[in-house]
Amino acid sequence: MMTGKEEQIFEKVKDIPPMPQVASKVINILENPDFSFAELVRVISKDPSVTASILKMANSALFAPKNDITNLTQAISFLGVKNVKNLVITLSTKSLFTGSNTPFFDNKIWEHSVATAIISRIVVLNIDKKKAEEAFLVGLMHDLGQIIMLKSMPEYENLLADAFNENLSIYDLESERMGFTHSDVGAYLMKKWNLPPLYENSIAYHHKPANADNDFLAKIVCYANNFTKINNIGVTRNIDKCYYQKMLEIDEETLSECENFFFEIFENEKEIFNL
Ligand SMILES: [Fe+2]
Ligand SMILES: [Fe+2]
């Protein structure tokens, strides 16, 4: 059953993309608790660009500073299956962030998404380690709705251009001009992709975390989203009303250490994600 808002989205946004193939295959394999490691390696190795990036990632500072990992099997055992799943989703999702009429905005939104994912992961590692991988993925996909709108609604390019030129809130412009927002479209996509409700909910409320069912990830991504925007990684530097650092269960000193670590590694991590 579609909600009223979903019907409205469906009418305007005809092309809801499927989840990239390698990602859905990996998710399927991992759904079985007795999955075969060899099968996982085989499926991933069929995608050379994902494979190359996983190798780079296994040797990167975000996961471990001193490593010399040279093959995919080693990389997967080192990173852990959960991380690998996230990386495969991340790297294969990159293909969705291309192909609009304005590569300038495709790139801006992708860079902003990767940065939001990385700072989310770093901060959550210091609050609740178990949720770090989910935080990374929600960070990565929080603005996927923008890309889908950019590709399927001709008027959306102007909206982004206005946000970019006048430093306006994309979310507010969408609410005014369209009656629904990229949060709604992104949440709808998570549902279509059969990801757990947690993803749908935190993406739906990343601009209004107080309204989320389980507000932990929505608050994290709200913070991370604004942190990257303030640092000029994104279409606009406009700060959301939802942004207040004290909403995170972390002291200021630790948070600033996290932010410093982000600046230290982001330039190198960018390369992994083909920025
Ligand atoms: Fe957003
Ligand atoms: Fe964002």
Side-chain angles (χ1 to χ4, degrees):
M1 265 285 280
M2 281 206 270
T3 63
K5 202 154 240 178
E6 284 172 356
E7 268 170 28
Q8 212 182 340
I9 294 170
F10 191 69
E11 226 172 77
K12 282 268 193 176
V13 184
K14 299 255 165 11
D15 288 324
I16 292 289
M19 182 182 274
Q21 221 184 21
V22 57
S24 62
K25 279 189 182 156
V26 166
I27 289 174
N28 277 339
I29 293 174
L30 297 181
E31 256 165 25
N32 175 1
D34 307 315
F35 71 90
S36 132
F37 196 81
E39 170 74 354
L40 181 66
V41 173
R42 198 182 59 81
V43 164
I44 297 174
S45 64
K46 281 197 175 156
D47 189 319
S49 81
V50 169
T51 300
S53 301
I54 286 181
L55 282 172
K56 278 195 215 162
M57 198 59 147
N59 290 290
S60 89
L62 184 61
F63 290 93
K66 295 183 202 79
N67 274 291
D68 195 8
I69 287 174
T70 50
N71 68 58
L72 188 60
T73 307
Q74 258 179 336
I76 296 176
S77 19
F78 169 71
L79 291 168
V81 167
K82 227 175 155 187
N83 268 329
V84 167
K85 175 174 128 190
N86 291 343
L87 283 174
V88 171
I89 299 176
T90 309
L91 299 160
S92 59
T93 308
K94 168 80 168 95
S95 62
L96 300 178
F97 286 81
T98 53
S100 83
N101 292 327
T102 34
F104 175 76
F105 287 133
D106 289 350
N107 291 335
K108 281 244 175 263
I109 298 171
W110 174 245
E111 185 185 35
H112 166 74
S113 304
V114 170
T116 302
I118 292 175
I119 185 70
S120 299
R121 182 174 193 279
I122 295 172
V123 170
V124 174
L125 277 175
N126 284 279
I127 303 177
D128 184 353
K129 272 202 173 85
K130 293 188 300 295
K131 294 185 180 145
E133 306 319 325
E134 286 162 353
F136 184 87
L137 276 188
V138 173
L140 179 78
M141 300 195 285
H142 77 285
D143 283 337
L144 255 182
Q146 290 180 8
I147 281 291
I148 294 171
M149 288 162 94
L150 182 59
K151 285 183 177 175
S152 48
M153 300 166 67
E155 66 272 37
Y156 197 72
E157 193 181 319
N158 281 336
L159 186 151
L160 287 184
D162 291 346
F164 177 74
N165 293 324
E166 292 161 51
N167 209 19
L168 300 171
S169 153
I170 295 173
Y171 183 88
D172 289 349
L173 289 178
E174 291 165 348
S175 312
E176 283 159 25
R177 297 184 192 177
M178 278 132 197
F180 61 87
T181 71
H182 67 277
S183 315
D184 302 316
V185 178
Y188 180 58
L189 184 70
M190 296 299 105
K191 190 170 159 186
K192 281 269 158 204
W193 284 3
N194 289 322
L195 288 171
L198 180 72
Y199 290 86
E200 184 188 334
N201 197 256
S202 31
I203 289 180
Y205 295 107
H206 73 272
H207 289 276
K208 284 190 176 160
N211 297 0
D213 286 348
N214 171 344
D215 60 1
F216 179 75
L217 284 178
K219 279 180 182 168
I220 292 290
V221 78
C222 172
Y223 149 77
N225 178 34
N226 285 289
F227 167 79
T228 56
K229 286 195 291 184
I230 291 168
N231 289 291
N232 208 13
I233 310 171
V235 173
T236 159
R237 299 178 74 151
N238 186 290
I239 303 310
D240 290 320
K241 293 175 206 78
C242 73
Y243 180 55
Y244 47 104
Q245 295 195 352
K246 295 228 163 36
M247 68 189 172
L248 302 181
E249 291 149 44
I250 190 167
D251 61 86
E252 270 171 46
E253 202 184 314
T254 315
L255 188 62
S256 81
E257 280 167 17
C258 292
E259 294 177 348
N260 289 338
F261 182 56
F262 169 85
F263 291 120
E264 235 173 75
I265 66 167
F266 183 57
E267 284 306 310
N268 292 329
E269 300 305 318
K270 274 167 102 164
E271 203 190 302
I272 297 170
F273 296 110
N274 307 318
L275 290 170

